[in-house]
Amino acid sequence: MSGNETKTIAILALQGVQLLDVSGPMDVFAEANTQAGREAYRLLVASRSEEAIRSSSGARLLPDIVIGADGGEPVDTLLVAGSPNAAVTEPDAAVLAWLKRVAATTRRYGSVCAGAFVLAAAGLLAGRRVATHWAVADRLARAYPDIAVDPDAIHIRDGRLRTAAGVTAGLDLALALVEEDLGRDIAMRVAAQLVMFFKRPGGQMQFSRREEALPAGRSALQELQRWVVANPAERHSVASMARRLNLSPRHFARLFATEVGVTPAGWVEAARISVARRLLETGQNPPKQVAAACGFANADVLRRAFMRHVGVTPADYRRRFTPED
């Protein structure tokens, strides 16, 4: 960011927008203005029409830029805010055309949360590596196979593109942009003033419930799965589970994978991790005891499995998610 020039940041907010996807980044940029002692950023909200934008919480925003009605001033950074229904709503052609036109001239562009679906619909994510909310990451990857979706990343920089994960990750992305523009010292002061991490520890997998082991398949398989969750410390081999259903191990393994979508061993590990998360969230047992209660051979085996599924260690997870007395 050259000299003391004020840069315009426009956030596209459509009807039903998640308010924090707009207000969170804007508060970061506004605080950066305060810490810099000047107007480093000019903040604008763009929308499809001049009517008030009703957010998903019911609060309303008034647009500064109306698509199709404004000649438009130069935009330095364009961000698309998400909404709870962005993954299943097709933006109209005028919005997509405006995005393509404006993004072509910006220094950088990107999205917060499910706003990635709007950029993808405009063809602006093809061949890119992107972040979005963990709950819709698989849907985005299936809908747009030419996009490399990282389900764990908090935010990603790929050339001129910047994308953030779910909701509050928009603050992390905005802070990273402030660091790019105004330097580490101002960005750290912004983080301190807003009482947020300068660099958030871990990815969004630690918040995700996407891989929780839920019963699936025919009723006999679901009954078996509920028994596994209720008795995670038991030895759940393919042979022992097959015996409970009076099936051969080979037939059981094939049936389980076909109807549940994962191998028996993979499902059992995910189930044990789900139980371990609950124990870590609600108790003070050390990892060694949690490992034994969940059927892991020792704390090291639990730690490796936990890192694969959650992205942080059991000890770190407990520190972040156990309520204080």
Side-chain angles (χ1 to χ4, degrees):
M1 191 167 175
S2 59
N4 292 328
E5 182 182 358
T6 297
K7 298 295 186 182
T8 297
I9 294 185
I11 300 183
L12 175 63
L14 302 176
Q15 293 296 334
V17 70
Q18 184 97 37
L19 187 60
L20 194 55
D21 287 5
V22 181
S23 63
M26 281 198 158
D27 276 344
V28 171
F29 294 126
E31 184 60 34
N33 286 344
T34 299
Q35 296 299 330
R38 62 183 179 85
E39 189 183 32
Y41 301 110
R42 181 166 183 249
L43 307 175
L44 302 175
V45 174
S47 194
R48 178 66 181 90
S49 69
E50 61 185 11
E51 66 183 66
I53 307 157
R54 187 178 180 88
S55 71
S56 59
S57 66
R60 300 183 183 218
L61 298 169
L62 293 177
D64 304 292
I65 299 172
V66 176
I67 293 173
D70 294 279
E73 62 182 270
V75 173
D76 175 79
T77 301
L78 171 65
L79 297 176
V80 180
S83 68
N85 63 352
V88 295
T89 302
E90 182 71 24
D92 68 38
V95 170
L96 300 181
W98 181 84
L99 275 174
K100 291 177 187 177
R101 178 173 58 80
V102 176
T105 62
T106 60
R107 181 166 62 101
R108 58 196 176 192
Y109 66 94
S111 60
V112 178
C113 195
F117 282 86
V118 184
L119 285 182
L124 294 170
L125 298 184
R128 300 286 196 165
R129 178 170 168 262
V130 307
T132 189
H133 194 294
W134 62 263
V136 295
D138 286 346
R139 184 192 287 265
L140 181 64
R142 289 194 303 268
Y144 300 94
D146 57 350
I147 299 173
V149 182
D150 187 334
D152 186 46
I154 296 295
H155 58 83
I156 290 175
R157 174 177 179 172
D158 184 351
R160 293 194 302 122
L161 177 67
R162 310 287 191 274
T163 51
V167 195
T168 61
L171 283 82
D172 300 81
L173 173 61
L175 191 64
L177 298 182
V178 169
E179 184 181 13
E180 281 183 34
D181 296 340
L182 303 177
R184 183 182 180 89
D185 181 62
I186 286 179
M188 290 186 72
R189 297 207 307 265
V190 170
Q193 187 64 30
L194 297 182
V195 195
M196 61 179 288
F197 285 112
F198 177 60
K199 303 288 184 184
R200 190 194 300 231
Q204 60 173 334
M205 282 172 60
Q206 62 189 301
F207 305 100
S208 168
R209 298 294 175 176
R210 181 171 59 91
E211 294 191 2
E212 279 199 337
L214 300 175
R218 63 186 64 185
S219 59
L221 287 176
Q222 292 192 30
E223 183 179 346
L224 172 67
Q225 292 165 65
R226 283 189 284 269
W227 183 82
V228 169
V229 172
N231 300 275
E234 298 285 335
R235 183 175 180 270
H236 299 301
S237 65
V238 168
S240 67
M241 290 188 288
R243 281 195 299 271
R244 292 188 68 86
L245 297 186
N246 295 316
L247 298 174
S248 71
R250 184 175 181 179
H251 180 54
F252 167 74
R254 186 178 302 149
L255 179 69
F256 194 100
T258 299
E259 296 204 7
V260 181
V262 295
T263 65
W267 193 92
V268 168
E269 181 174 271
R272 285 172 167 160
I273 290 296
S274 295
V275 175
R277 288 175 74 155
R278 288 194 291 271
L279 290 176
L280 291 166
E281 290 166 359
T282 59
Q284 295 298 323
N285 292 334
K288 182 178 180 179
Q289 292 181 14
V290 172
C294 295
F296 292 100
N298 53 55
D300 285 340
V301 175
L302 167 64
R303 186 180 188 278
R304 290 195 295 272
F306 210 87
M307 286 291 295
R308 279 196 301 274
H309 287 263
V310 187
V312 296
T313 66
D316 285 342
Y317 185 85
R318 184 173 59 187
R319 278 194 293 271
R320 293 170 198 169
F321 292 94
T322 300
E324 295 182 359
D325 294 334

